[in-house]
Amino acid sequence: MKPKHIAIIMDGNGRWAKLKGLPRKEGHKEGANSVESAVQTALEEGIKVLSLYAFSTENWARPKMEIAYLMQLLADTLSKFTENKYKDVKLVFSGRRKGLPSMILNKLDKVIEATKNHKKLTLNLCLNYGARQEITDAVNKIIAQGKTNIKESDIEKNLYQNLPVPDLIIRTSGEERLSNFLLWQAAYSEFYFTKTLWPDFKEKDLLKAIAEYNKRDRRFGKRK
Ligand code: FPP
C-alpha cells in the first residue's frame, strides 16, 4: 500500500556545501529546491500528507547569519506555494508561533489562508517545532479545558495538527535518529535512512524510499 503520510527530516545541507567547497547557505538553497521536488513528487504519487522538518526548536543555537538566511529562504519558498502549479497543495503549520519572526508568521498565515481549500496534498511545515514541546502544549491545552482522566485520543486531538499518522519517516545524510520529530505520531511509522544529503535528494530518491516502504511488512504489534 502506498504511504498516505510521508515525513522527512531534511539533513545534510551543510555537509553538501562543504563537500563542494561552497558556503553553507548554498546547501540550504539547493535544499529548498529539494523541498519543491519532494512536493511535486508527492503530488504526482498521490501522497496525502507530506511533513517537512524545516526548523527545530534546537536550530536557534545556530549562528545569527545562518538563521537569518534560512528564514528568508523559508519566506521565499512559502510564497511559491501560492503559485498556480501548487494549486492542489494545502499548507498547514506545526510548531510554536512564539519565537518566530513576524515576517515569517505573516507569510505563513497568508499562505495557509490562500491554500486552505486545496485538496490533494497537505504540506505540514514543521517550523520552530519540537515533539516534546508539542506533547507538552497538548497536555496544557487539555488541562485548560478542565479535563481529568486524560485519554490517548485527547492528546491526539490536541496536537498541533490533526493529521493521519506518518506511515514513512525519511532521514537523509546518514544520521539515524529522530531528533525530537513527531515522537507521539511515530509509534508505528516505518523508518527509511539514506546517506544521500538533502540537497541531492530528488524525485528518484523519494520514489526509491516509497518502493522500499512498499516492501515492508507492517504488523502494528500484531501477529500475522
Ligand atoms: C539540515 O542541514 C537542514 C536544516 C537545518 C534546515 C532545513 C532547511 C531546508 C531544507 C531549506 C529550506 C527549507 C524550506 C522548507 C524552504 P544542516 O545545515 O543541519 O546540514 P549539516 O548537518 O550537514 O550541517
Side-chain angles (χ1 to χ4, degrees):
M1 269 251 290
K2 209 184 290 182
K4 239 197 225 139
H5 180 175
I6 299 180
I8 311 183
I9 304 172
M10 309 180 287
D11 200 2
N13 296 353
R15 274 162 285 167
W16 182 90
K18 198 170 176 193
L19 275 170
K20 292 194 151 30
L22 296 168
R24 282 181 72 81
K25 65 176 192 179
E26 293 301 321
H28 294 316
K29 198 165 147 194
E30 191 51 40
N33 290 334
S34 296
V35 166
E36 286 201 69
S37 156
V39 172
Q40 290 287 359
T41 309
L43 271 171
E44 284 158 22
E45 290 303 301
I47 306 301
K48 292 281 163 217
V49 184
L50 179 67
S51 290
L52 297 178
Y53 204 3
F55 198 87
S56 74
T57 45
E58 288 75 30
N59 285 148
W60 296 109
R62 294 190 177 212
K64 275 206 173 77
M65 285 261 288
E66 184 178 354
I67 295 177
Y69 183 81
L70 272 170
M71 290 296 150
Q72 191 54 54
L73 187 62
L74 261 163
D76 295 345
T77 309
L78 277 173
S79 301
K80 296 197 178 166
F81 292 116
T82 55
E83 289 172 10
N84 197 46
K85 67 171 168 173
Y86 293 115
K87 64 176 181 358
D88 292 320
V89 179
K90 170 180 170 174
L91 185 87
V92 299
F93 159 71
S94 289
R96 278 190 182 161
R97 291 178 69 91
K98 195 170 181 298
L100 282 169
S102 48
M103 174 271 280
I104 291 283
L105 289 173
N106 293 340
K107 176 115 321 165
L108 261 177
D109 290 341
K110 265 196 196 132
V111 183
I112 290 169
E113 177 61 26
T115 64
K116 68 177 185 205
N117 295 320
H118 297 178
K119 296 263 178 304
K120 232 175 136 185
L121 172 71
T122 298
L123 175 59
N124 177 31
L125 195 64
C126 304
L127 198 58
N128 196 21
Y129 175 87
R132 289 181 174 180
Q133 289 87 338
E134 178 177 35
I135 297 166
T136 308
D137 288 353
V139 170
N140 279 313
K141 279 188 240 165
I142 299 165
I143 292 171
Q145 292 154 16
K147 278 206 177 124
T148 52
N149 196 3
I150 295 166
K151 297 188 283 298
E152 282 188 16
S153 58
D154 294 314
I155 306 244
E156 245 154 50
K157 276 185 249 156
N158 286 282
L159 295 172
Y160 293 139
Q161 294 292 334
N162 199 353
L163 296 168
V165 291
D167 302 296
L168 172 63
I169 298 182
I170 298 171
R171 183 167 188 155
T172 59
S173 90
E175 311 291 348
E176 300 191 352
R177 55 179 172 269
L178 210 40
S179 299
N180 206 13
F181 189 46
L182 304 177
L183 295 182
W184 177 277
Q185 298 89 332
Y188 288 102
S189 300
E190 295 292 328
F191 289 88
Y192 177 84
F193 299 111
T194 172
K195 288 204 163 55
T196 304
L197 303 171
W198 178 250
D200 285 330
F201 192 91
K202 297 289 196 284
E203 180 173 16
K204 70 165 185 6
D205 305 283
L206 185 51
L207 293 178
K208 197 172 153 199
I210 295 172
E212 173 67 32
Y213 167 87
N214 284 332
K215 288 191 219 150
R216 304 273 174 97
D217 176 21
R218 301 189 79 195
R219 289 198 297 274
F220 301 96
K222 299 185 199 100
R223 271 224 245 148
K224 265 232 147 161

